[in-house]
Amino acid sequence: MYQAPLPQEYASLTPEQARERIIAAKKALGSRVVILGHHYQRDEIIEHADYRGDSFKLAKDANKHPEAEYIVFCGVHFMAESADILTPDHMKVILPNLAAGCSMADMANLFQVRAAWRQLEETIPNSTIVPITYINSAANLKAFVGERGGTVCTSTNAPKAVEWALERGEKVLFFPDQHLGRNTGAKLGYDPDKDMCVWDPFKPLGGNTPEKLRESKFILWKGHCSVHQRFTVEQVERARREHPGVNVIVHPECPIEVVRLADYVGSTEFIINTITAAEPNTTWAVGTEINLVNRVAKEQTDKKVFCLDPMICPCSTMYRIHPSFLCWALENLVAGTPVNVIEVPPKVKHFAKLALDRMLTIV
Ligand code: 13P
Ligand code: SF4
């Protein structure tokens, strides 16, 4: 989404000025505001968060203070939309920078998913397909799955969500992340070659034959995360060569070859909790976004923690939540002129909420 440039007063703040003004604005707002921070946010943002978490935890945390007037979501657009859907109408959700989107979420839109669904209905009319959307998707796709008996999943509950879906239908249409879909199916014992196909929205039948669609249990949308797709087998091999005894821990948005070589796989919250609970003097090579990795490395001083990718892999959209934007958003709340309010239209909200509520019960 388009974000107008910050007024000069904010654009020229020094880091220390921004920090002091954020603290002052937050104090002035008191219990009227709750600040949520995703683990990929930079330290200068995370220090102001009332709650930090992965997508699943933050979706639940959003509802912890129904008496608050504002949730300031330091994360990306789909997270702010989910918070708006899950919280009472009187709570306004603010995304400090509207340009903080998710490139993976943008890889599937409603027009494309409707077209895929229509083609699947025509090509394999006797199959029951349950749609699952990863929470990294637009609200109207959440409504799409809600209306068709599907659910939203996160990296935390994806295996349970797929099991839930396969109790209700023969096949799953999983979007937008092919990697999370493939890794989840493989974890449940399905064969990526035999039981899965990839749906390319730019090709007829997603680039598949009718037979392949009939045979496949999982139809995986051809989307990916540009941060996690960078992790490679070579990086894991190198970490093992250079750090004997290293524990490799990765996010399930990584390619399956990397996931298969890892010792642990899970959400951002899982990664942090696993390293935090580990024995002192252990070594951890981590396959996820760099702000998270650096923070864990800094906090877990008795362990060696480093990123699998030596080239450093920030999520450029998460990074758009700069302290100056947070300051601008909070001071506007103090002034009674909320900016960047994320409001999901009521007709989308209904079915999207159904799908998100299902997500929260599938644990
Ligand atoms: P988590 O739900 O694991 O925090 O993941 C969100 C995300 O966008 C990962 O790239
Ligand atoms: Fe989206 Fe990837 Fe950034 Fe997560 S890390 S918000 S999936 S682009």
Side-chain angles (χ1 to χ4, degrees):
M1 278 176 92
Y2 174 70
Q3 172 65 60
L6 277 180
Q8 193 51 38
E9 178 199 347
Y10 292 95
S12 57
L13 286 176
T14 65
E16 201 37 55
Q17 286 168 334
R19 182 170 184 274
E20 279 167 16
R21 284 173 62 166
I22 290 169
I23 292 170
K26 198 178 168 203
K27 194 163 169 221
L29 289 161
S31 59
R32 294 171 63 204
V33 71
V34 178
I35 301 182
L36 304 180
H38 185 267
H39 290 309
Y40 292 164
Q41 293 291 304
R42 54 178 102 197
D43 288 350
E44 302 89 300
I45 294 292
I46 281 292
E47 68 164 313
H48 304 294
D50 297 299
Y51 295 93
R52 336 176 179 177
D54 63 8
S55 310
F56 191 71
K57 180 171 175 293
L58 291 177
K60 289 190 290 178
D61 289 341
N63 244 327
K64 280 199 172 143
H65 296 272
E67 75 288 358
E69 285 169 59
Y70 304 110
I71 290 179
V72 176
F73 211 124
C74 298
V76 288
H77 191 265
F78 73 81
M79 297 179 179
E81 277 189 335
S82 298
D84 179 50
I85 294 164
L86 287 168
T87 50
D89 285 347
H90 71 269
M91 292 177 89
K92 285 190 167 39
V93 178
I94 314 288
L95 181 64
N97 183 343
L98 293 178
C102 163
S103 53
M104 175 209 284
D106 293 341
M107 289 178 192
N109 65 41
L110 185 59
F111 178 77
Q112 294 169 320
V113 171
R114 275 198 184 134
W117 192 254
R118 218 172 23 246
Q119 290 178 66
L120 288 168
E121 280 180 336
E122 282 164 15
T123 314
I124 41 174
N126 300 321
S127 303
T128 33
I129 308 174
V130 180
I132 301 183
T133 187
Y134 189 22
I135 192 165
N136 297 36
S137 57
N140 57 12
L141 291 183
K142 294 182 173 83
F144 177 93
V145 303
E147 197 171 358
R148 286 162 185 79
T151 185
V152 177
C153 78
T154 66
S155 55
T156 299
N157 77 345
K160 292 262 192 270
V162 167
E163 281 175 338
W164 176 94
L166 289 177
E167 281 160 18
R168 286 157 179 80
E170 293 157 46
K171 296 179 192 297
V172 167
L173 171 64
F174 191 100
F175 48 87
D177 186 20
Q178 58 173 303
H179 298 293
L180 180 64
R182 188 176 297 112
N183 289 324
T184 305
K187 184 174 178 173
L188 295 173
Y190 293 95
D191 181 334
D193 294 324
K194 284 218 301 274
D195 301 322
M196 305 182 198
C197 66
V198 174
W199 184 279
D200 181 341
F202 297 103
K203 292 185 178 161
L205 293 189
N208 299 285
T209 60
E211 295 68 41
K212 185 66 189 168
L213 292 174
R214 251 188 298 278
E215 279 165 18
S216 297
K217 202 87 181 143
F218 294 79
I219 300 158
L220 307 173
W221 197 264
K222 195 175 179 204
H224 66 269
C225 164
S226 48
V227 176
H228 291 91
Q229 196 162 272
R230 288 170 51 92
F231 293 106
T232 63
V233 166
E234 291 69 38
Q235 291 165 357
V236 178
E237 288 170 349
R238 183 170 165 189
R240 295 214 189 274
R241 219 171 33 245
E242 293 180 358
H243 304 272
V246 69
N247 296 282
V248 176
I249 187 163
V250 304
H251 195 276
E253 289 173 14
C254 292
I256 193 163
E257 301 77 30
V258 172
V259 164
R260 279 187 175 139
L261 290 180
D263 301 300
Y264 303 89
V265 182
S267 75
T268 55
E269 186 83 4
F270 170 85
I271 291 173
I272 294 169
N273 291 344
T274 305
I275 301 176
T276 305
E279 294 291 322
N281 302 318
T282 46
T283 304
W284 294 83
V286 189
T288 198
E289 199 270 350
I290 194 69
N291 278 295
L292 182 156
V293 180
N294 285 345
R295 192 153 47 241
V296 180
K298 217 158 52 190
E299 289 172 358
Q300 299 299 307
T301 47
D302 58 347
K303 290 153 207 161
K304 185 174 172 60
V305 180
F306 61 94
C307 184
L308 265 178
D309 183 352
M311 295 305 289
I312 300 202
C313 42
C315 171
S316 56
T317 47
M318 285 272 183
Y319 209 61
R320 291 180 184 158
I321 307 291
H322 184 276
S324 301
F325 277 98
L326 178 58
C327 181
W328 171 67
L330 288 173
E331 289 191 350
N332 269 290
L333 295 184
V334 175
T337 51
V339 290
N340 290 9
V341 178
I342 303 299
E343 259 188 299
V344 176
K347 73 177 200 304
V348 174
K349 236 179 196 177
H350 174 75
F351 282 114
K353 181 160 181 350
L354 195 70
L356 278 166
D357 284 341
R358 281 184 192 134
M359 171 191 91
L360 291 172
T361 61
I362 302 172
V363 280

